Amino acid sequence: MPDGDALPGAFRASAFIGFRTLFYKEVLRFWKVGVQTVAAPVLNALLFLLIFSQVLDRRVTVYGDVPYTAFLVPGLIMMSLLQNAFANSSSSLIQSKITGNIIFILLPPLSCRVFYGAYVLAAVLRGLLVGLGVWAMSMFFVDVPLAQPLWALAFAILGGALLATFGVIAGIWAEKFDQLAAFQNFLIMPLTMLSGVFYSIHSLPPLWQKISHANPFFFMIDGFRYGFFGQSDTSPWLSLAVIGGSFAALAALAMLMLKKGYKLRG
Amino acid sequence: MADVPAIHIAQLTKHYGSVQALAGIDLDIARGEFFGLLGPNGAGKTTLISALAGLVRADGGTLEVMGHNVAADPRNARLKLGVVPQELVFDPFFTVREVLKFQSGYYGIRGNDDWIEEILSRLGLLAKADTNMRTLSGGMKRRVLVAQALVHRPPVIVLDEPTAGVDVELRQGLWEFVKQLNADGHTVVLTTHYLEEAEDLCGRIAMMKAGRVVALDTTANLLSRFADLEQVFMEVMRHA
Ligand SMILES: Nc1ncnc2c1ncn2[C@@H]1O[C@H](COP(=O)(O)OP(=O)(O)OP(=O)(O)O)[C@@H](O)[C@H]1O
Ligand SMILES: [Mg+2]
């Protein structure tokens, strides 16, 4: 009589293989529809770039002598990266929940850490691909320096992980696509738009400058921009601390939801 | 070890809002059994299976798979269990073979291609192996669900109405396959509304109604007083 381990050809489970498989599945899921998940967001960002640069480039400079279009590029890269990291984990989870195929992930012995890690890493990868795409395409239109590449990379990864984690939370919590769309339209979009993607907050009246400092997206964009120009509205260390702290808090919340089986295991 | 049952259920309760889906289930299923779980719609069969698989949390009671507690040691409990769900769920992004490779990987298994090919062949899925799940017929999707449940060679296999919407040929093939798995030592638990199937296949049967087990005996004993299982079922349900 078989006890799993004694079965002929029985297998020793490995958490790493579970993680690698789930990560690969999540990557393949967006890669198979890459036109929609990577190319389209890159095109979107380029349209912003073309329109705004056409209107403003000759008139506006930032940080003294940075042309507006160059200033705009890191903001657009980061905005696209963040939105797509969120979109990937949240839409994958809600789709699996609604179609019911989430059970294929709930039945196997995948730990919460593996579950969380695979979804977040795949979402970060999509964000980075979109960001790289925007950056590469922008080179055809404008010269942007890259003064502190490590800072830029750190903010790209950490910001992506933060939004991917937020996507996991939203994807678990939401029961319908419109709830997810509400997150996107009423939270993510306004917060990114008002975070200084399109302007330096020093150009704002003092009250709005203060308000901007309550917006975590401001720190992500500002820190990322520091990587390009070596200057920013606020210290990159402060931005790093704010984003690192927010990420840790959201990651803890996501892990707690997974451990409790919140909305996943009825 | 040998007398640890394949499935041990004690005092299991579960409610959804005001519905008492499981109202205190006690059930032991020995290793190597071919066990039937019968009952009318809404009796609680799927809820019981979901609790066993860790898909829903029980309100109270004990659940063990091969001696591993579902709540305290979910990792091992899940490794030992393969579940064919009642709902026809599938992932529209992938092909049949991709789905099986992923499922195998989730269980932490490396290099499982030979077994995957064998399952594909035994379930008549070879010709569809590289077809996208979305374009398969309902019966074909059902076969893939069976294949997904077997990919990690679980010692305990639970099939929740696996033959609903499946053609005669697969039904025969599926039961041949499952019978052989059972002969090889796998414990099989089956729910079905086709009582002749249960009569032919199951050594022991539990009948559920409104979240309780209302009859539990060997198929032979259940049949001793009646012509067929359908009459037994009607009789049990009338008096329960
Ligand atoms: N997610 C849920 N939310 C609320 N009620 C539920 C849920 N799942 C099941 N129920 C209720 O629990 C009871 C048992 O349902 P269950 O699906 O376990 O029955 P079943 O024996 O599998 O029936 P069937 O033969 O139709 O598959 C039913 O009254 C059902 O309506
Ligand atoms: Mg059912």
Side-chain angles (χ1 to χ4, degrees), chain B residues 41-42 44-47 49 86 160-161 191 193:
Chain B
N41 293 135
K45 306 178 296 292
T46 298
T47 306
I49 291 166
Q86 179 176 1
D160 198 352
E161 298 192 35
T191 86
H193 291 290

Side-chain angles (χ1 to χ4, degrees), chain A residues 142-214:
Chain A
V142 51
D143 257 342
V144 186
L146 187 58
Q148 307 269 1
L150 283 183
W151 274 111
L153 189 66
F155 279 104
I157 291 174
L158 202 56
L162 177 63
L163 267 288
T165 302
F166 194 45
V168 169
I169 293 170
I172 292 175
W173 173 82
E175 274 148 27
K176 298 179 211 145
F177 279 103
D178 12 328
Q179 289 173 322
L180 215 54
F183 258 102
Q184 235 148 355
N185 296 329
F186 295 106
L187 201 68
I188 310 262
M189 268 305 258
L191 284 179
T192 28
M193 289 291 182
L194 296 174
S195 66
V197 171
F198 299 104
Y199 51 82
S200 161
I201 65 156
H202 283 308
S203 61
L204 294 176
L207 175 66
W208 280 100
Q209 286 194 29
K210 280 223 173 61
I211 293 175
S212 295
H213 280 92

